[in-house]
């Protein structure tokens, strides 16, 4: 099949002419790239706290336990915000929510840099958590409107990979901030890293359209007949039951509930490593703050490659049941994390961090592909929001638990807990896969195979 024949084939499967498909495909890529890059830099107003913790402990009277609670507040408000913002974004406009997320989060970060009271910072950081929750779930709803089922894992994994690159960008942005403004101390981490995202949101607002009809095209047709049938059924359910029914529809599926536990466990592992590994380098490997940040940069880099690779692979090999990928990633991550405390600083530790990040965040890429599969264009944002709510409940638990444990110098508990949780995630994925039908059902009986 030559290029033109391939183009005609792709256009026909989506219900477009060749020229319509060219227009659709160009805008689909524009949406994916703009949202991914914007979300990448949005992390600079979120992970900056974890990277600033060593300086905050050094320059204030606050302890790691205090700052662990501060991190937990963000996770609570971020998670609870997702519970609502996925649905609200679908109802009131996904682009409005994404743009508001950036502007409000940037404002909260700048205000924090002027504070000296931990209580006021905690309040502002809590608001920042809610503001940041206005971006991801509506963003997945946006991508689902432009990327059909057969490429859903790739598109969501691509965007999620940029969140991993965003962690790298934040790592460097914060480190550079400490270098260029040493007299500002920890406050520099809340000002300089968020400048780029404010610039990018203007570009995003000018370029990104919410759905094909905004550029004069009809909505694409699903090539997979089962997915097309599922979306039609979901649309009818929404019309009959009302705008809030998606919550009931999803929660009553027992396999979806197990996916919530998988999300919580995977996020506990992800943030347990992201939040505390730089401090581990500082306290155990005895390197300074900047060197600790740069020394652990392969962790988020591995996460970026993991979520893109794993979710894309599921499109090809297990598009109707992505659970095997979760099992493999959980086992790989658990084994790597158990081994990490046995090595010292250097190349070996960096390689292990890359591998651990690859497998841990590979699970997250599958999560969002699953959310898009189960919700379709009807309420993928709602499904994503509920899953992210569960994920950040897990993240909030790790913030408090590890913050208290590390304050006593008990670093082994970090690695044992993260490794053990990975094993638990693998077990949950096995349970969710028992007796799984090959075809997706949306009738609420729990036979969901996405």
């Amino acid at each position: 099949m030559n290029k033109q024949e391939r183009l005609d084939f792709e256009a026909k499967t989506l219900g477009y002419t060749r020229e319509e498909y060219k227009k659709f495909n160009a805008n689909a890529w524009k949406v994916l790239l703009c949202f991914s890059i914007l979300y990448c830099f949005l992390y600079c107003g979120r992970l900056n706290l974890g990277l600033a913790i060593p300086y905050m402990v050094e320059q204030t009277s606050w302890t790691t336990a205090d700052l662990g609670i501060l991190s937990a507040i963000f996770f609570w408000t971020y998670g609870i915000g997702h519970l609502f913002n996925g649905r609200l974004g679908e109802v009131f406009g996904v682009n409005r929510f994404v743009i508001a997320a950036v502007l409000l989060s940037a404002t909260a970060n700048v205000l924090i840099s002027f504070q000296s009271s931990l209580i006021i910072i905690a309040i502002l950081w809590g608001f920042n958590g809610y503001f940041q929750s206005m971006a991801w779930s509506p963003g997945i709803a946006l991508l689902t409107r432009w990327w059909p089922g057969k490429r859903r894992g790739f598109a969501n994994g691509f965007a999620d990979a940029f969140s991993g690159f965003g962690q790298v960008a934040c790592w460097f942005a914060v480190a550079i901030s400490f270098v260029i403004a040493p007299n500002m101390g920890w406050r520099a981490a809340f000002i300089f890293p968020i400048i780029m995202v404010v610039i990018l949101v203007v570009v995003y607002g000018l370029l990104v359209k919410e759905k094909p009809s905004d550029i004069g095209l009809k909505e694409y047709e699903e090539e997979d007949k089962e997915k097309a049938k599922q979306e039609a059924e979901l649309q009818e359910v929404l019309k009959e039951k009302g705008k809030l029914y998606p919550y009931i529809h999803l929660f009553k599926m027992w396999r979806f509930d197990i996916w919530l536990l998988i999300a919580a466990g995977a996020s506990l592992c992800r943030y347990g490593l992201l939040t505390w590994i730089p401090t581990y380098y500082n306290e155990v490997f005895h390197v300074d703050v900047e060197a600790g940040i740069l020394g652990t940069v392969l962790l988020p880099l591995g996460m970026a490659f993991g979520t893109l690779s794993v979710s894309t692979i599921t499109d090809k090999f297990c598009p109707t049941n992505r659970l095997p990928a979760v099992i493999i990633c959980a086992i790989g991550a658990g084994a790597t994390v158990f081994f990490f405390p046995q090595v010292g600083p250097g190349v070996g530790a960096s390689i292990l961090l890359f591998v651990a990040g690859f497998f841990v965040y590979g699970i997250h890429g599958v999560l969002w592909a699953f959310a898009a599969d189960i919700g379709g264009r009807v309420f993928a944002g709602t499904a994503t929001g509920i899953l992210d709510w569960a994920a950040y409940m897990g993240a909030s638990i790790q913030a408090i638990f590890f913050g208290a444990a590390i304050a006593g110098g008990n670093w082994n508990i970090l690695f044992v807990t993260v490794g053990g949780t990975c094993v638990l995630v693998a077990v949950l994925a096995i349970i969710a896969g028992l007796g799984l039908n090959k075809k997706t059902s949306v009738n609420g009986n729990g036979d969901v195979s996405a």
Side-chain angles (χ1 to χ4, degrees), residues 23-40 94-95 98 135-136 138-147 154-156 158-160 162 200 203-215 217 220:
K23 186 177 181 181
F24 170 82
N25 193 50
N27 276 272
W29 273 102
K30 185 188 299 181
V31 167
L32 180 58
L33 288 170
C34 286
F35 175 72
S36 299
I37 293 171
L38 179 68
Y39 200 77
C40 170
V94 294
N95 274 354
V98 172
W136 182 250
I140 294 297
L142 172 70
L143 297 182
T144 306
R145 295 173 184 179
W146 286 99
W147 290 84
F154 163 75
N156 292 339
F158 186 94
D160 209 25
F162 269 78
L200 288 172
V203 178
Y204 175 92
L206 294 173
L207 295 180
V208 172
K209 305 299 180 184
E210 290 194 9
K211 52 188 180 297
S213 59
D214 291 340
I215 59 171
L217 295 175
Y220 67 80

Short mmCIF file of all heavy atoms in Angstrom, two decimals, residues 23-40 94-95 98 135-136 138-147 154-156 158-160 162 200 203-215 217 220:
data_model
loop_
_atom_site.label_atom_id
_atom_site.label_comp_id
_atom_site.label_asym_id
_atom_site.label_seq_id
_atom_site.Cartn_x
_atom_site.Cartn_y
_atom_site.Cartn_z
N LYS A 23 -6.77 17.55 7.22
CA LYS A 23 -7.08 18.66 8.13
C LYS A 23 -7.27 18.14 9.55
O LYS A 23 -6.76 18.74 10.52
CB LYS A 23 -8.34 19.37 7.64
CG LYS A 23 -8.70 20.62 8.42
CD LYS A 23 -9.93 21.29 7.81
CE LYS A 23 -10.30 22.56 8.54
NZ LYS A 23 -11.52 23.21 7.95
N PHE A 24 -7.98 17.04 9.67
CA PHE A 24 -8.22 16.43 10.99
C PHE A 24 -6.90 16.00 11.63
O PHE A 24 -6.63 16.30 12.80
CB PHE A 24 -9.15 15.23 10.84
CG PHE A 24 -9.28 14.40 12.09
CD1 PHE A 24 -10.15 14.77 13.10
CD2 PHE A 24 -8.51 13.25 12.27
CE1 PHE A 24 -10.26 14.02 14.27
CE2 PHE A 24 -8.62 12.49 13.42
CZ PHE A 24 -9.50 12.87 14.43
N ASN A 25 -6.08 15.29 10.88
CA ASN A 25 -4.82 14.76 11.41
C ASN A 25 -3.87 15.88 11.83
O ASN A 25 -3.21 15.79 12.87
CB ASN A 25 -4.15 13.87 10.36
CG ASN A 25 -3.03 13.03 10.94
OD1 ASN A 25 -3.19 12.37 11.96
ND2 ASN A 25 -1.88 13.07 10.30
N ALA A 26 -3.81 16.94 11.03
CA ALA A 26 -2.94 18.07 11.36
C ALA A 26 -3.37 18.71 12.68
O ALA A 26 -2.54 19.05 13.53
CB ALA A 26 -2.95 19.10 10.24
N ASN A 27 -4.67 18.86 12.86
CA ASN A 27 -5.17 19.46 14.10
C ASN A 27 -5.04 18.52 15.29
O ASN A 27 -4.82 18.97 16.41
CB ASN A 27 -6.62 19.90 13.91
CG ASN A 27 -6.75 21.27 13.27
OD1 ASN A 27 -6.74 22.29 13.95
ND2 ASN A 27 -6.84 21.29 11.96
N ALA A 28 -5.18 17.21 15.03
CA ALA A 28 -5.01 16.25 16.12
C ALA A 28 -3.60 16.33 16.68
O ALA A 28 -3.38 16.32 17.90
CB ALA A 28 -5.31 14.83 15.61
N TRP A 29 -2.61 16.44 15.78
CA TRP A 29 -1.22 16.57 16.22
C TRP A 29 -0.98 17.92 16.90
O TRP A 29 -0.23 18.01 17.88
CB TRP A 29 -0.27 16.39 15.03
CG TRP A 29 0.07 14.96 14.80
CD1 TRP A 29 -0.43 14.13 13.85
CD2 TRP A 29 0.97 14.17 15.58
NE1 TRP A 29 0.11 12.87 13.97
CE2 TRP A 29 0.99 12.88 15.02
CE3 TRP A 29 1.79 14.43 16.67
CZ2 TRP A 29 1.77 11.84 15.54
CZ3 TRP A 29 2.58 13.41 17.18
CH2 TRP A 29 2.56 12.13 16.62
N LYS A 30 -1.61 18.95 16.40
CA LYS A 30 -1.46 20.28 17.01
C LYS A 30 -1.99 20.26 18.45
O LYS A 30 -1.36 20.78 19.38
CB LYS A 30 -2.21 21.31 16.18
CG LYS A 30 -2.03 22.75 16.66
CD LYS A 30 -2.95 23.70 15.92
CE LYS A 30 -2.68 23.71 14.43
NZ LYS A 30 -3.56 24.66 13.72
N VAL A 31 -3.15 19.64 18.62
CA VAL A 31 -3.74 19.53 19.95
C VAL A 31 -2.83 18.73 20.87
O VAL A 31 -2.56 19.13 22.02
CB VAL A 31 -5.14 18.87 19.86
CG1 VAL A 31 -5.63 18.46 21.25
CG2 VAL A 31 -6.13 19.81 19.21
N LEU A 32 -2.35 17.59 20.39
CA LEU A 32 -1.50 16.73 21.21
C LEU A 32 -0.21 17.42 21.63
O LEU A 32 0.19 17.39 22.80
CB LEU A 32 -1.19 15.44 20.45
CG LEU A 32 -0.29 14.41 21.17
CD1 LEU A 32 -0.92 13.99 22.49
CD2 LEU A 32 -0.04 13.20 20.28
N LEU A 33 0.45 18.06 20.67
CA LEU A 33 1.71 18.72 20.97
C LEU A 33 1.52 19.92 21.90
O LEU A 33 2.28 20.10 22.87
CB LEU A 33 2.39 19.16 19.68
CG LEU A 33 2.98 18.04 18.82
CD1 LEU A 33 3.41 18.58 17.46
CD2 LEU A 33 4.17 17.39 19.53
N CYS A 34 0.53 20.74 21.62
CA CYS A 34 0.31 21.94 22.44
C CYS A 34 -0.05 21.58 23.87
O CYS A 34 0.49 22.15 24.83
CB CYS A 34 -0.77 22.82 21.82
SG CYS A 34 -0.26 23.72 20.35
N PHE A 35 -0.97 20.63 24.03
CA PHE A 35 -1.36 20.24 25.39
C PHE A 35 -0.19 19.58 26.11
O PHE A 35 0.05 19.86 27.30
CB PHE A 35 -2.55 19.28 25.37
CG PHE A 35 -2.90 18.77 26.74
CD1 PHE A 35 -3.50 19.60 27.68
CD2 PHE A 35 -2.60 17.47 27.11
CE1 PHE A 35 -3.79 19.14 28.96
CE2 PHE A 35 -2.89 17.00 28.38
CZ PHE A 35 -3.49 17.83 29.31
N SER A 36 0.54 18.71 25.42
CA SER A 36 1.64 17.98 26.05
C SER A 36 2.74 18.93 26.53
O SER A 36 3.24 18.81 27.65
CB SER A 36 2.23 16.96 25.08
OG SER A 36 1.25 16.00 24.70
N ILE A 37 3.12 19.88 25.68
CA ILE A 37 4.19 20.81 26.04
C ILE A 37 3.73 21.73 27.18
O ILE A 37 4.49 22.01 28.12
CB ILE A 37 4.62 21.63 24.81
CG1 ILE A 37 5.29 20.71 23.78
CG2 ILE A 37 5.58 22.75 25.21
CD1 ILE A 37 5.56 21.37 22.44
N LEU A 38 2.49 22.20 27.10
CA LEU A 38 1.97 23.05 28.17
C LEU A 38 1.96 22.30 29.49
O LEU A 38 2.41 22.83 30.52
CB LEU A 38 0.55 23.51 27.81
CG LEU A 38 -0.14 24.39 28.86
CD1 LEU A 38 0.55 25.74 28.96
CD2 LEU A 38 -1.62 24.57 28.53
N TYR A 39 1.47 21.06 29.47
CA TYR A 39 1.40 20.29 30.70
C TYR A 39 2.79 19.96 31.24
O TYR A 39 3.00 19.88 32.45
CB TYR A 39 0.61 19.00 30.47
CG TYR A 39 0.10 18.41 31.77
CD1 TYR A 39 -1.01 18.97 32.40
CD2 TYR A 39 0.74 17.34 32.37
CE1 TYR A 39 -1.47 18.45 33.60
CE2 TYR A 39 0.28 16.82 33.56
CZ TYR A 39 -0.82 17.37 34.18
OH TYR A 39 -1.27 16.87 35.37
N CYS A 40 3.74 19.79 30.31
CA CYS A 40 5.13 19.56 30.69
C CYS A 40 5.61 20.66 31.63
O CYS A 40 6.16 20.39 32.71
CB CYS A 40 5.99 19.49 29.43
SG CYS A 40 7.77 19.49 29.71
N VAL A 94 -13.38 22.14 28.00
CA VAL A 94 -12.08 21.65 28.48
C VAL A 94 -10.99 22.71 28.36
O VAL A 94 -10.12 22.82 29.23
CB VAL A 94 -11.68 20.36 27.73
CG1 VAL A 94 -12.63 19.23 28.08
CG2 VAL A 94 -11.63 20.56 26.24
N ASN A 95 -11.00 23.50 27.29
CA ASN A 95 -9.95 24.52 27.13
C ASN A 95 -10.03 25.58 28.21
O ASN A 95 -9.00 26.10 28.67
CB ASN A 95 -10.04 25.15 25.74
CG ASN A 95 -9.27 24.36 24.70
OD1 ASN A 95 -8.58 23.40 25.03
ND2 ASN A 95 -9.38 24.75 23.45
N VAL A 98 -8.27 24.13 31.24
CA VAL A 98 -6.81 24.01 31.08
C VAL A 98 -6.14 25.37 31.23
O VAL A 98 -5.13 25.52 31.94
CB VAL A 98 -6.47 23.38 29.72
CG1 VAL A 98 -4.97 23.44 29.47
CG2 VAL A 98 -6.95 21.93 29.66
N ALA A 135 -6.39 20.72 34.88
CA ALA A 135 -5.75 20.56 33.58
C ALA A 135 -5.79 19.13 33.03
O ALA A 135 -6.19 18.92 31.89
CB ALA A 135 -4.30 21.05 33.65
N TRP A 136 -5.36 18.15 33.82
CA TRP A 136 -5.12 16.82 33.25
C TRP A 136 -6.39 16.09 32.80
O TRP A 136 -6.48 15.61 31.66
CB TRP A 136 -4.35 15.95 34.24
CG TRP A 136 -4.03 14.58 33.69
CD1 TRP A 136 -4.56 13.39 34.08
CD2 TRP A 136 -3.11 14.28 32.62
NE1 TRP A 136 -4.03 12.37 33.34
CE2 TRP A 136 -3.14 12.88 32.43
CE3 TRP A 136 -2.28 15.06 31.81
CZ2 TRP A 136 -2.36 12.25 31.47
CZ3 TRP A 136 -1.51 14.42 30.85
CH2 TRP A 136 -1.56 13.04 30.69
N PRO A 138 -9.53 17.23 32.08
CA PRO A 138 -10.08 17.84 30.87
C PRO A 138 -9.17 17.64 29.66
O PRO A 138 -9.65 17.50 28.53
CB PRO A 138 -10.18 19.33 31.24
CG PRO A 138 -10.36 19.32 32.72
CD PRO A 138 -9.47 18.19 33.19
N GLY A 139 -7.86 17.58 29.90
CA GLY A 139 -6.92 17.36 28.80
C GLY A 139 -7.08 15.99 28.17
O GLY A 139 -7.02 15.84 26.94
N ILE A 140 -7.30 14.96 28.98
CA ILE A 140 -7.55 13.62 28.44
C ILE A 140 -8.86 13.59 27.65
O ILE A 140 -8.96 12.94 26.61
CB ILE A 140 -7.56 12.57 29.56
CG1 ILE A 140 -6.17 12.45 30.18
CG2 ILE A 140 -8.01 11.21 29.04
CD1 ILE A 140 -5.10 11.98 29.23
N ALA A 141 -9.87 14.31 28.15
CA ALA A 141 -11.12 14.42 27.39
C ALA A 141 -10.86 15.08 26.04
O ALA A 141 -11.41 14.67 25.00
CB ALA A 141 -12.14 15.24 28.19
N LEU A 142 -10.01 16.10 26.03
CA LEU A 142 -9.64 16.79 24.78
C LEU A 142 -8.96 15.83 23.81
O LEU A 142 -9.32 15.75 22.63
CB LEU A 142 -8.71 17.96 25.12
CG LEU A 142 -8.06 18.68 23.94
CD1 LEU A 142 -9.11 19.48 23.16
CD2 LEU A 142 -6.93 19.60 24.43
N LEU A 143 -7.98 15.08 24.27
CA LEU A 143 -7.25 14.16 23.40
C LEU A 143 -8.16 13.06 22.86
O LEU A 143 -8.02 12.64 21.71
CB LEU A 143 -6.08 13.55 24.16
CG LEU A 143 -4.98 14.50 24.64
CD1 LEU A 143 -3.86 13.72 25.32
CD2 LEU A 143 -4.43 15.33 23.49
N THR A 144 -9.09 12.60 23.68
CA THR A 144 -9.99 11.54 23.24
C THR A 144 -10.87 12.01 22.09
O THR A 144 -11.27 11.21 21.24
CB THR A 144 -10.86 11.07 24.42
OG1 THR A 144 -10.01 10.70 25.51
CG2 THR A 144 -11.72 9.88 24.04
N ARG A 145 -11.17 13.30 22.03
CA ARG A 145 -11.98 13.83 20.94
C ARG A 145 -11.22 13.91 19.63
O ARG A 145 -11.82 14.06 18.57
CB ARG A 145 -12.49 15.23 21.32
CG ARG A 145 -13.44 15.22 22.52
CD ARG A 145 -13.80 16.62 22.97
NE ARG A 145 -14.62 16.60 24.17
CZ ARG A 145 -15.06 17.69 24.79
NH1 ARG A 145 -14.73 18.89 24.32
NH2 ARG A 145 -15.80 17.59 25.88
N TRP A 146 -9.89 13.82 19.70
CA TRP A 146 -9.07 13.96 18.50
C TRP A 146 -8.31 12.68 18.13
O TRP A 146 -7.78 12.57 17.02
CB TRP A 146 -8.05 15.09 18.69
CG TRP A 146 -8.67 16.46 18.60
CD1 TRP A 146 -9.04 17.26 19.63
CD2 TRP A 146 -9.01 17.17 17.40
NE1 TRP A 146 -9.58 18.43 19.17
CE2 TRP A 146 -9.57 18.42 17.79
CE3 TRP A 146 -8.88 16.90 16.04
CZ2 TRP A 146 -10.01 19.36 16.88
CZ3 TRP A 146 -9.32 17.84 15.12
CH2 TRP A 146 -9.87 19.06 15.55
N TRP A 147 -8.22 11.72 19.06
CA TRP A 147 -7.44 10.52 18.81
C TRP A 147 -8.32 9.29 19.00
O TRP A 147 -8.76 8.99 20.10
CB TRP A 147 -6.23 10.47 19.74
CG TRP A 147 -5.21 11.51 19.37
CD1 TRP A 147 -5.21 12.82 19.74
CD2 TRP A 147 -4.09 11.33 18.49
NE1 TRP A 147 -4.15 13.48 19.16
CE2 TRP A 147 -3.44 12.60 18.39
CE3 TRP A 147 -3.56 10.24 17.80
CZ2 TRP A 147 -2.31 12.79 17.62
CZ3 TRP A 147 -2.42 10.42 17.03
CH2 TRP A 147 -1.81 11.68 16.94
N PHE A 154 -1.22 5.52 22.52
CA PHE A 154 -0.11 6.37 22.08
C PHE A 154 -0.33 7.82 22.48
O PHE A 154 0.57 8.45 23.05
CB PHE A 154 0.07 6.28 20.57
CG PHE A 154 0.90 7.40 20.01
CD1 PHE A 154 2.28 7.40 20.17
CD2 PHE A 154 0.31 8.47 19.36
CE1 PHE A 154 3.05 8.44 19.68
CE2 PHE A 154 1.07 9.52 18.87
CZ PHE A 154 2.45 9.51 19.03
N ALA A 155 -1.51 8.36 22.18
CA ALA A 155 -1.77 9.77 22.44
C ALA A 155 -1.69 10.09 23.94
O ALA A 155 -1.04 11.06 24.34
CB ALA A 155 -3.13 10.17 21.89
N ASN A 156 -2.34 9.26 24.76
CA ASN A 156 -2.32 9.51 26.19
C ASN A 156 -0.93 9.27 26.77
O ASN A 156 -0.48 9.99 27.67
CB ASN A 156 -3.35 8.62 26.89
CG ASN A 156 -4.77 9.01 26.53
OD1 ASN A 156 -5.02 10.12 26.09
ND2 ASN A 156 -5.70 8.09 26.68
N PHE A 158 1.85 9.67 25.11
CA PHE A 158 2.67 10.79 24.63
C PHE A 158 2.52 11.99 25.57
O PHE A 158 3.51 12.59 26.00
CB PHE A 158 2.24 11.17 23.21
CG PHE A 158 3.09 12.21 22.56
CD1 PHE A 158 4.15 11.85 21.75
CD2 PHE A 158 2.82 13.57 22.72
CE1 PHE A 158 4.95 12.81 21.13
CE2 PHE A 158 3.60 14.54 22.10
CZ PHE A 158 4.67 14.15 21.30
N ALA A 159 1.27 12.33 25.89
CA ALA A 159 1.04 13.46 26.79
C ALA A 159 1.59 13.18 28.18
O ALA A 159 2.20 14.05 28.82
CB ALA A 159 -0.46 13.75 26.87
N ASP A 160 1.41 11.94 28.64
CA ASP A 160 1.90 11.58 29.96
C ASP A 160 3.43 11.57 29.98
O ASP A 160 4.05 11.88 31.01
CB ASP A 160 1.36 10.20 30.34
CG ASP A 160 1.23 10.04 31.85
OD1 ASP A 160 1.08 11.05 32.55
OD2 ASP A 160 1.27 8.90 32.33
N PHE A 162 5.27 13.63 28.43
CA PHE A 162 5.68 15.02 28.61
C PHE A 162 5.53 15.46 30.06
O PHE A 162 6.22 16.38 30.49
CB PHE A 162 4.89 15.93 27.67
CG PHE A 162 5.56 16.14 26.34
CD1 PHE A 162 5.49 15.16 25.36
CD2 PHE A 162 6.28 17.28 26.07
CE1 PHE A 162 6.12 15.32 24.14
CE2 PHE A 162 6.92 17.46 24.85
CZ PHE A 162 6.84 16.48 23.88
N LEU A 200 3.53 29.86 27.48
CA LEU A 200 2.98 28.79 26.65
C LEU A 200 1.46 28.75 26.65
O LEU A 200 0.85 28.36 25.65
CB LEU A 200 3.53 27.44 27.13
CG LEU A 200 5.00 27.16 26.83
CD1 LEU A 200 5.45 25.90 27.53
CD2 LEU A 200 5.21 27.04 25.32
N VAL A 203 0.00 30.72 23.81
CA VAL A 203 0.10 30.00 22.54
C VAL A 203 -0.97 28.92 22.46
O VAL A 203 -1.63 28.75 21.43
CB VAL A 203 1.50 29.38 22.37
CG1 VAL A 203 1.60 28.59 21.06
CG2 VAL A 203 2.57 30.46 22.43
N TYR A 204 -1.15 28.20 23.55
CA TYR A 204 -2.16 27.14 23.61
C TYR A 204 -3.56 27.70 23.30
O TYR A 204 -4.30 27.14 22.50
CB TYR A 204 -2.15 26.50 24.99
CG TYR A 204 -3.23 25.47 25.23
CD1 TYR A 204 -2.98 24.13 24.98
CD2 TYR A 204 -4.49 25.84 25.70
CE1 TYR A 204 -3.97 23.17 25.20
CE2 TYR A 204 -5.47 24.89 25.92
CZ TYR A 204 -5.21 23.56 25.67
OH TYR A 204 -6.20 22.63 25.87
N GLY A 205 -3.90 28.80 23.94
CA GLY A 205 -5.23 29.39 23.74
C GLY A 205 -5.48 29.81 22.31
O GLY A 205 -6.62 29.77 21.83
N LEU A 206 -4.44 30.20 21.60
CA LEU A 206 -4.58 30.64 20.22
C LEU A 206 -4.69 29.48 19.23
O LEU A 206 -5.35 29.59 18.19
CB LEU A 206 -3.40 31.53 19.82
CG LEU A 206 -3.29 32.87 20.55
CD1 LEU A 206 -1.98 33.56 20.18
CD2 LEU A 206 -4.48 33.78 20.20
N LEU A 207 -4.07 28.34 19.54
CA LEU A 207 -3.95 27.26 18.56
C LEU A 207 -4.91 26.10 18.75
O LEU A 207 -5.31 25.45 17.78
CB LEU A 207 -2.52 26.72 18.57
CG LEU A 207 -1.41 27.67 18.12
CD1 LEU A 207 -0.05 26.96 18.19
CD2 LEU A 207 -1.67 28.18 16.70
N VAL A 208 -5.28 25.78 19.98
CA VAL A 208 -5.98 24.52 20.25
C VAL A 208 -7.50 24.66 20.15
O VAL A 208 -8.10 25.54 20.76
CB VAL A 208 -5.59 23.99 21.65
CG1 VAL A 208 -6.44 22.78 22.03
CG2 VAL A 208 -4.12 23.62 21.66
N LYS A 209 -8.11 23.76 19.38
CA LYS A 209 -9.56 23.67 19.26
C LYS A 209 -10.05 22.43 20.01
O LYS A 209 -9.39 21.39 20.00
CB LYS A 209 -9.99 23.58 17.79
CG LYS A 209 -9.45 24.73 16.93
CD LYS A 209 -9.94 26.07 17.42
CE LYS A 209 -9.41 27.21 16.54
NZ LYS A 209 -9.80 28.55 17.05
N GLU A 210 -11.22 22.54 20.62
CA GLU A 210 -11.69 21.46 21.49
C GLU A 210 -12.15 20.22 20.74
O GLU A 210 -11.99 19.10 21.24
CB GLU A 210 -12.84 21.97 22.38
CG GLU A 210 -12.39 22.95 23.44
CD GLU A 210 -13.46 23.17 24.50
OE1 GLU A 210 -14.47 22.44 24.49
OE2 GLU A 210 -13.27 24.07 25.34
N LYS A 211 -12.73 20.37 19.56
CA LYS A 211 -13.27 19.21 18.85
C LYS A 211 -13.29 19.49 17.36
O LYS A 211 -13.20 20.65 16.93
CB LYS A 211 -14.68 18.90 19.36
CG LYS A 211 -15.64 20.07 19.37
CD LYS A 211 -16.92 19.71 20.07
CE LYS A 211 -17.91 20.88 20.10
NZ LYS A 211 -17.40 22.03 20.84
N PRO A 212 -13.39 18.43 16.54
CA PRO A 212 -13.36 18.60 15.09
C PRO A 212 -14.39 19.58 14.55
O PRO A 212 -14.12 20.29 13.57
CB PRO A 212 -13.62 17.18 14.57
CG PRO A 212 -13.05 16.30 15.64
CD PRO A 212 -13.37 17.02 16.93
N SER A 213 -15.57 19.65 15.17
CA SER A 213 -16.61 20.57 14.67
C SER A 213 -16.17 22.03 14.76
O SER A 213 -16.69 22.88 14.03
CB SER A 213 -17.91 20.36 15.44
OG SER A 213 -17.73 20.60 16.82
N ASP A 214 -15.19 22.32 15.62
CA ASP A 214 -14.70 23.70 15.74
C ASP A 214 -13.88 24.13 14.53
O ASP A 214 -13.61 25.33 14.37
CB ASP A 214 -13.85 23.85 17.01
CG ASP A 214 -14.68 23.76 18.28
OD1 ASP A 214 -15.90 23.95 18.20
OD2 ASP A 214 -14.10 23.49 19.35
N ILE A 215 -13.48 23.16 13.70
CA ILE A 215 -12.76 23.51 12.46
C ILE A 215 -13.56 23.07 11.23
O ILE A 215 -13.02 22.90 10.14
CB ILE A 215 -11.35 22.87 12.42
CG1 ILE A 215 -11.42 21.35 12.51
CG2 ILE A 215 -10.47 23.43 13.53
CD1 ILE A 215 -10.10 20.65 12.25
N LEU A 217 -15.37 20.19 10.74
CA LEU A 217 -15.42 18.77 10.42
C LEU A 217 -16.45 18.06 11.30
O LEU A 217 -16.74 18.51 12.42
CB LEU A 217 -14.06 18.12 10.64
CG LEU A 217 -12.90 18.58 9.75
CD1 LEU A 217 -11.61 17.90 10.22
CD2 LEU A 217 -13.17 18.27 8.30
N TYR A 220 -15.10 12.20 14.24
CA TYR A 220 -14.59 11.00 13.59
C TYR A 220 -15.43 9.77 13.95
O TYR A 220 -16.10 9.74 14.99
CB TYR A 220 -13.12 10.76 13.95
CG TYR A 220 -12.84 10.41 15.40
CD1 TYR A 220 -13.05 9.11 15.88
CD2 TYR A 220 -12.34 11.36 16.28
CE1 TYR A 220 -12.80 8.78 17.19
CE2 TYR A 220 -12.07 11.04 17.60
CZ TYR A 220 -12.29 9.74 18.06
OH TYR A 220 -12.04 9.42 19.36
#
